[in-house]
Amino acid sequence: MRLIDKRPVFIDLRTDFGFKRCFGDEKVMKRFLNIIIGKEYGHIESLVFENVECTKARETHRGVTFDLRCTLDNGNDVIVEMQNYGHRFFLTRANYYLYNLMDKHIGKGAVWSEREHDIPHLIGVFILGVPRNELTDVITQTAECNLATGKIIWDRMRKYFISLPNFNFDEKENPSDEEIWIQTIKNIGNMVSFDPKLYDRADDELKALIDKARISALSDEEYARYEAELKILSDEGTAERYGYDRGIKEGIEIGDKRGLKRGIIQTAKNMKEEGFDSETIAKITNLTISEIEAL
């Protein structure tokens, strides 16, 4: 038996495995995006999941691997990221993700005078599991504005930061769909059962997410992977701590870049041996996919 009484019966969506398992479903993702960005961009009828690896455009640049990426029926490009670690300069990093997507739409040597249409909207939805001082609302939307008037002057790039620590579910008689979804994303991994009242209020897509999140639905192989990722998530609170304990410590103690690089590489090797995929390793170590596959 995997579970005992009073232990959670749902996977934690903050894990890479849990997030991709549940949000990698087209119906679930479509409904989630309609709730978060539908008011701004219109109702989404369909979407297509895309390759999550955005390779480097130039030799001097790094590539990026997204959690999930999709193209909407209106042509807009969306990335959805779950972030659980206190990355320094995360807002800069979020912009970097979207500018990498822009590179894909414009390309090297673009001739601006020959373009007939502007690029599609590039939209980043970043779900944050740790608090940030800059983001005090549950959902923070950003755009490029005229500071004097607040009017948006360039609308091709938008970011939505969903700060889970800022969300407190109010026991309302009629919670909004947005509130029910955010409550589920934030807390499902700690639930020993799903509140029947909340379940009755959930839409069909959220119910599908809940079913995908049931630990009992996992195969033994899936459960082993999930358990390993959950350990990383919970071990000392951060995945960086995992890297520190499993190799990065060597570099820090030596105090030079070569030592730090050795520590990062050792961490990547350890994670490969434990069965983690290259995308997860890249996200935690900041190595490229090609560097990881060459280990």
Side-chain angles (χ1 to χ4, degrees):
M1 292 287 292
R2 294 173 183 167
L3 303 174
I4 60 175
D5 290 343
K6 297 185 179 180
R7 287 190 61 182
V9 297
F10 300 99
I11 57 179
D12 195 322
L13 300 187
R14 296 175 303 160
T15 61
D16 188 64
F17 170 82
F19 181 72
K20 290 178 181 176
R21 174 181 174 83
C22 293
F23 283 90
D25 179 285
E26 179 183 347
K27 291 181 180 179
V28 171
M29 178 65 91
K30 183 177 70 173
R31 177 59 178 157
F32 172 68
L33 292 178
N34 270 319
I35 289 173
I36 300 302
I37 68 174
K39 293 178 183 178
E40 295 289 328
Y41 296 98
H43 184 75
I44 300 163
E45 294 291 344
S46 63
L47 57 83
V48 176
F49 285 105
E50 305 288 357
N51 188 346
V52 295
E53 184 176 3
C54 193
T55 57
K56 59 185 179 181
R58 289 170 286 279
E59 287 300 317
T60 55
H61 287 197
R62 290 178 61 88
V64 168
T65 300
F66 307 117
D67 279 349
L68 291 168
R69 175 190 168 198
C70 54
T71 300
L72 310 183
D73 50 16
N74 53 19
N76 292 331
D77 217 341
V78 181
I79 59 172
V80 183
E81 286 275 317
M82 173 67 77
Q83 293 288 335
N84 294 299
Y85 317 118
H87 293 300
R88 295 183 65 198
F89 315 120
F90 175 71
L91 299 185
T92 300
R93 182 172 177 165
N95 278 287
Y96 180 69
Y97 287 160
L98 291 177
Y99 279 116
N100 267 269
L101 276 188
M102 188 186 300
D103 239 353
K104 302 290 286 186
H105 287 286
I106 295 175
K108 187 177 180 180
V111 181
W112 294 97
S113 61
E114 295 180 1
R115 294 187 66 89
E116 296 182 4
H117 304 285
D118 206 342
I119 62 172
H121 293 97
L122 307 178
I123 305 164
V125 179
F126 302 96
I127 306 172
L128 308 180
V130 293
R132 295 199 64 91
N133 293 335
E134 313 96 320
L135 305 173
T136 57
D137 297 323
V138 175
I139 300 180
T140 302
Q141 302 179 38
T142 71
E144 188 158 337
C145 302
N146 180 331
L147 287 177
T149 65
K151 182 178 180 180
I152 297 174
I153 59 174
W154 185 63
D155 67 348
R156 295 295 100 178
M157 186 179 294
R158 298 288 294 276
K159 293 181 289 297
Y160 295 74
F161 298 97
I162 303 175
S163 301
L164 298 181
N166 296 343
F167 178 75
N168 291 310
F169 189 70
D170 189 2
E171 294 294 338
K172 300 178 181 178
E173 291 187 7
N174 294 302
S176 67
D177 290 340
E178 179 182 281
E179 288 172 326
I180 294 173
W181 272 78
I182 295 177
Q183 159 76 351
T184 302
I185 293 169
K186 179 178 180 179
N187 291 319
I188 192 169
N190 297 318
M191 293 180 181
V192 297
S193 64
F194 206 88
D195 184 346
K197 294 181 180 178
L198 199 61
Y199 190 84
D200 289 342
R201 290 279 301 156
D203 51 45
D204 290 342
E205 293 80 8
L206 184 55
K207 289 177 180 177
L209 181 151
I210 294 166
D211 287 339
K212 281 181 172 292
R214 294 184 188 279
I215 290 178
S216 60
L218 303 182
S219 67
D220 290 341
E221 182 180 350
E222 289 172 331
Y223 181 74
R225 177 182 172 187
Y226 167 67
E227 193 174 43
E229 289 192 12
L230 189 63
K231 184 178 186 302
I232 288 177
L233 184 66
S234 60
D235 187 19
E236 300 291 340
T238 65
E240 288 94 333
R241 194 65 182 180
Y242 171 85
Y244 182 86
D245 292 337
R246 295 293 301 274
I248 293 179
K249 181 178 180 181
E250 175 188 358
I252 295 175
E253 289 177 344
I254 292 173
D256 61 32
K257 293 182 180 179
R258 288 178 299 172
L260 181 58
K261 184 70 172 181
R262 287 197 299 271
I264 292 171
I265 290 173
Q266 186 59 51
T267 296
K269 288 180 178 179
N270 291 338
M271 295 184 72
K272 284 190 73 172
E273 290 174 359
E274 294 186 13
F276 288 89
D277 58 61
S278 296
E279 294 171 7
T280 302
I281 299 171
K283 186 175 180 180
I284 291 176
T285 64
N286 283 327
L287 294 175
T288 65
I289 296 293
S290 59
E291 286 174 328
I292 292 165
E293 292 179 347
L295 295 176

